[in-house]
Amino acid sequence: MIHSSINMDETPKNLWEDTDGDKYQVHVTIPTIDSTIESENVDERVVYIEDVEKRIQAYGICGECKEPGTGWKWCQPCNAKRFKDNFKNWTSGNKDIDEFIQQSQLNAVHHKKYLEWIPFGKFQNINYIAKGGFDFLDEIKSYLQIHFYDIVQCYGITQNPNNKEYMIVLFYCNGGNLRNYLNKSKHYINYKSKIDKLQQIARGLLDIHNAEKVHKDFHSGNILLDNHCPFISDLGMCQPANIKQTVKEEGIYGVLPYMAPEVLRGQQYTKAADIYSFGIIMNEFLSEEIPFNDIPHNEFLAIKICKGIRPTISKDIPKLLADLIIKCWDAEIKNRPTIKELYQILTKWNEEKDNSETEIYLQLEGCDKTREEKFKNRSNEDKYKSFQTHPQAIYTSRLLNFKNLPKPVNSSDLPSFQFSSDTSYTAQSTSENLISECLDVQLSELELNDIYQDDEHNIE
C-alpha cells in the first residue's frame, strides 16, 4: 500500500439537477460484480427503488436524460454509456483487469462505486505504507458491494512499472489506524468523543453485515482515521456470511487477541465473530491499552481465551460501556448482540450523552473526571509502557493453526462492576494475573496436553 497524491487532468462536467439531500436517504443496494452480465442489459438490473417518485425524491433528476437518478447525483444509464464510449482510450494491459474495471463502471449506481484504471505516472509524492497479503480483486469486490459510509473508498487499480505488481488505490486516511491514533494523541480523548467514534465504526460494520458479509479480520489496525473520523478498511478477507466455509487443514488467518474462541477452534466464521472482535476493539479504545500486549500470542493464549480470559477492562470505564463490552465478547454466540442492536445502543447513547438527565451522561461525567486527571498526571514513560508490546505479540494477520482447543466458556473471574454514590466504578478482577511471565518459555507437547485435560471451567 502506498500513499500518494493523484494528478487527474479532467473533471467530469456536472449536469445534475439537485434535490434536498438532507430530507432523503441515499442508501442503495450494490450488485455483485459479475463479468457474465451483458452491458446492454445493465439498465434493466439497477432498479433499486421501485417507486419512481421516491427515486426522484431521493436522488433527483438527471440533467441529460431527465430520468430519475439511481444514486446521489448519479444516472446509471447515462454514465454507463459514457464509460463504454471511453473503453477504447485506456487499458491496464491485462484483459481480466480491464473487464473487471469495465463491469464496475457499467454497473455503478453511485458516484463512489466505480473503478478506474489509474496510470502509475499520475501519482506524486509516493510513500510506502504497507503491503496486503490477500487476493486484491476479491477485496475490491467487497469495497464495491458494501454501502460506502464508514468504509474506506476504493478508487481503482494501478501497477508499479518497476516490479509489475498491481495495487489497490484507496482513500488515504491521514490519522493512521486506531492504535496509532491513541498512541499519538497529545490531548485527552473524552468518552463522549469515543462513543461517537464507536457508533461510526458500528455503522460501518452494520453496512458490511447488511450486505450479508462478514469482515473476518476486524481489529484496531484495520480501522483508519481521517480528520478524526473512523473508517473500516482491509476487506481482503471479507466473505459472504451465508455461505459455509470449510476450515482448511493449514489453519485460519487473523490477529489472535481479536479472534472469537469458536473461530480459534476452527468453527464457521459468523457475524457474531465480528461482534466479538468489536468488543475487543471497544475495550482497547476505551481503556487505551492494547489487548494482551505483554505476553506471547501463542497456543497457550488461545487456550486461555477459550477458557474465558479477556483483556482487562479499565476500572474507570462507565458501567454501561463495560457491560456492553462483556456482552460482545461472551463465549456464547447467542448472548452477543447483533450489529443492529449494537448500533442502536451506541446511537441512543450518542444522542443522550449531552442530556444531564440521562444515565449515560451521569456515568460519562463521573468517569471522565477520574480519567482526565490520570491523563494529566501520566508521564511519557507510563504512556510508552501502555503501548509497548512483547516481542512475540503479533498484531498483523497471520496463519494460525490450533488443534483440540477446549470448548469456549465464560470465566467466573471476569470483572464485576459496582456502582457507587460518587459515580465512580471499581472493578475486581484477577484475570490480569492469570498469565505470568513464564509464558516466555516454549511449552512442550506434554505440558499442552496437561492443559487440555484440565477442567474446562477452571482457569489456572
Side-chain angles (χ1 to χ4, degrees):
M1 189 182 298
I2 61 173
H3 165 223
S4 173
S5 56
I6 303 177
N7 177 25
M8 302 303 288
D9 299 328
E10 298 180 2
T11 302
K13 185 178 180 181
N14 183 8
L15 298 174
W16 203 257
E17 296 180 10
D18 286 340
T19 188
D20 186 356
D22 293 330
K23 291 176 60 179
Y24 307 105
Q25 64 162 342
V26 294
H27 182 82
V28 293
T29 302
I30 306 301
T32 300
I33 295 181
D34 185 347
S35 59
T36 63
I37 295 177
E38 297 295 331
S39 59
E40 58 265 27
N41 294 330
V42 166
D43 337 31
E44 301 172 11
R45 297 172 181 259
V46 285
V47 182
Y48 300 103
I49 300 180
E50 294 183 359
D51 189 302
V52 174
E53 289 301 320
K54 288 183 179 179
R55 284 178 61 194
I56 294 174
Q57 289 173 347
Y59 307 135
I61 299 292
C62 174
E64 292 183 62
C65 68
K66 304 301 181 182
E67 292 294 320
T70 57
W72 181 245
K73 293 191 176 182
W74 191 261
C75 176
Q76 187 276 329
C78 289
N79 283 297
K81 181 179 183 302
R82 245 190 315 272
F83 281 129
K84 189 172 183 179
D85 291 342
N86 193 49
F87 285 171
K88 61 182 181 296
N89 296 326
W90 63 267
T91 180
S92 68
N94 181 295
K95 182 176 180 291
D96 293 334
I97 290 179
D98 282 357
E99 291 181 354
F100 183 81
I101 294 174
Q102 289 168 3
Q103 288 299 320
S104 79
Q105 295 177 348
L106 294 174
N107 286 284
V109 294
H110 191 277
H111 71 276
K112 290 189 176 182
K113 289 301 173 187
Y114 70 87
L115 303 173
E116 292 187 86
W117 172 251
I118 306 175
F120 198 78
K122 294 283 186 180
F123 294 96
Q124 301 172 349
N125 305 317
I126 296 174
N127 294 309
Y128 175 80
I129 298 177
K131 183 177 182 179
F134 298 96
D135 180 52
F136 82 109
L137 288 183
D138 286 339
E139 180 170 358
I140 294 175
K141 286 182 182 180
S142 295
Y143 280 108
L144 294 177
Q145 291 166 1
I146 297 168
H147 183 48
F148 58 90
Y149 285 140
D150 308 300
I151 306 292
V152 173
Q153 183 180 351
C154 180
Y155 293 110
I157 303 173
T158 190
Q159 184 185 38
N160 188 326
N162 297 322
N163 56 23
K164 304 301 180 183
E165 287 186 349
Y166 289 100
M167 293 177 282
I168 303 173
V169 181
L170 300 173
F171 175 78
Y172 175 68
C173 294
N174 56 27
N177 63 40
L178 188 63
R179 193 176 305 127
N180 293 335
Y181 174 76
L182 292 172
N183 193 18
K184 294 178 181 178
S185 176
K186 297 180 180 178
H187 305 285
Y188 175 68
I189 308 172
N190 63 36
Y191 283 120
K192 291 182 180 180
S193 173
K194 288 182 177 180
I195 285 179
D196 182 62
K197 289 177 174 57
L198 285 169
Q199 186 231 16
Q200 293 176 59
I201 296 169
R203 186 171 61 193
L205 188 58
L206 176 63
D207 289 335
I208 292 173
H209 287 189
N210 277 344
E212 291 303 321
K213 290 181 176 290
V214 287
H215 190 285
K216 289 194 69 178
D217 195 23
F218 201 43
H219 57 83
S220 60
N222 283 338
I223 297 173
L224 307 180
L225 287 102
D226 183 69
N227 294 324
H228 305 286
C229 293
F231 295 88
I232 296 176
S233 69
D234 198 352
L235 304 184
M237 291 175 61
C238 196
Q239 69 175 34
N242 56 356
I243 297 179
K244 289 188 176 182
Q245 302 286 330
T246 56
V247 178
K248 296 181 180 179
E249 288 295 324
E250 63 266 24
I252 52 176
Y253 280 93
V255 179
L256 179 54
Y258 301 85
M259 299 176 71
E262 71 272 12
V263 174
L264 294 175
R265 297 184 77 232
Q267 294 180 14
Q268 176 70 23
Y269 197 104
T270 64
K271 293 177 180 179
D274 278 342
I275 298 298
Y276 178 95
S277 302
F278 186 96
I280 303 293
I281 293 168
M282 184 175 176
N283 184 58
E284 177 180 358
F285 190 34
L286 296 175
S287 298
E288 298 193 14
E289 294 184 3
I290 304 174
F292 303 126
N293 67 316
D294 56 349
I295 57 176
H297 295 175
N298 55 19
E299 190 167 9
F300 196 11
L301 176 57
I303 294 169
K304 291 298 185 181
I305 289 173
C306 289
K307 288 190 171 187
I309 191 172
R310 300 292 185 265
T312 303
I313 298 178
S314 176
K315 61 183 179 181
D316 50 26
I317 288 181
K319 182 179 185 301
L320 285 172
L321 299 177
D323 287 345
L324 185 58
I325 290 171
I326 294 172
K327 287 180 181 178
C328 288
W329 67 30
D330 197 295
E332 286 286 342
I333 293 177
K334 64 182 180 182
N335 293 339
R336 299 172 200 164
T338 65
I339 187 56
K340 182 178 179 180
E341 293 168 339
L342 191 61
Y343 175 68
Q344 289 174 338
I345 291 170
L346 290 169
T347 298
K348 181 176 182 290
W349 289 345
N350 206 26
E351 292 171 349
E352 295 179 348
K353 66 187 180 185
D354 294 315
N355 183 347
S356 60
E357 297 181 356
T358 62
E359 181 65 23
I360 189 66
Y361 173 90
L362 295 174
Q363 292 192 16
L364 296 183
E365 286 291 303
C367 292
D368 263 327
K369 290 179 182 178
T370 302
R371 195 169 185 87
E372 187 170 13
E373 190 64 30
K374 288 182 179 180
F375 182 87
K376 291 178 181 177
N377 297 328
R378 184 172 66 168
S379 66
N380 289 332
E381 182 179 355
D382 291 336
K383 184 175 182 179
Y384 172 75
K385 287 180 179 179
S386 67
F387 289 99
Q388 193 175 19
T389 59
H390 189 281
Q392 295 177 46
I394 302 172
Y395 292 94
T396 55
S397 297
R398 59 182 173 132
L399 182 65
L400 301 171
N401 194 353
F402 304 126
K403 302 294 184 183
N404 302 316
L405 293 179
K407 179 182 177 181
V409 295
N410 288 318
S411 168
S412 58
D413 291 317
L414 282 174
S416 58
F417 290 82
Q418 180 65 44
F419 181 64
S420 62
S421 58
D422 61 355
T423 69
S424 64
Y425 296 85
T426 58
Q428 298 175 343
S429 172
T430 57
S431 62
E432 62 268 30
N433 299 320
L434 296 176
I435 298 183
S436 67
E437 293 179 357
C438 70
L439 282 177
D440 292 340
V441 181
Q442 183 68 35
L443 293 173
S444 68
E445 184 175 352
L446 179 61
E447 289 170 320
L448 286 173
N449 287 335
D450 290 340
I451 294 173
Y452 289 138
Q453 293 169 5
D454 285 340
D455 182 351
E456 64 182 19
H457 295 282
N458 178 45
I459 294 186
E460 299 176 349

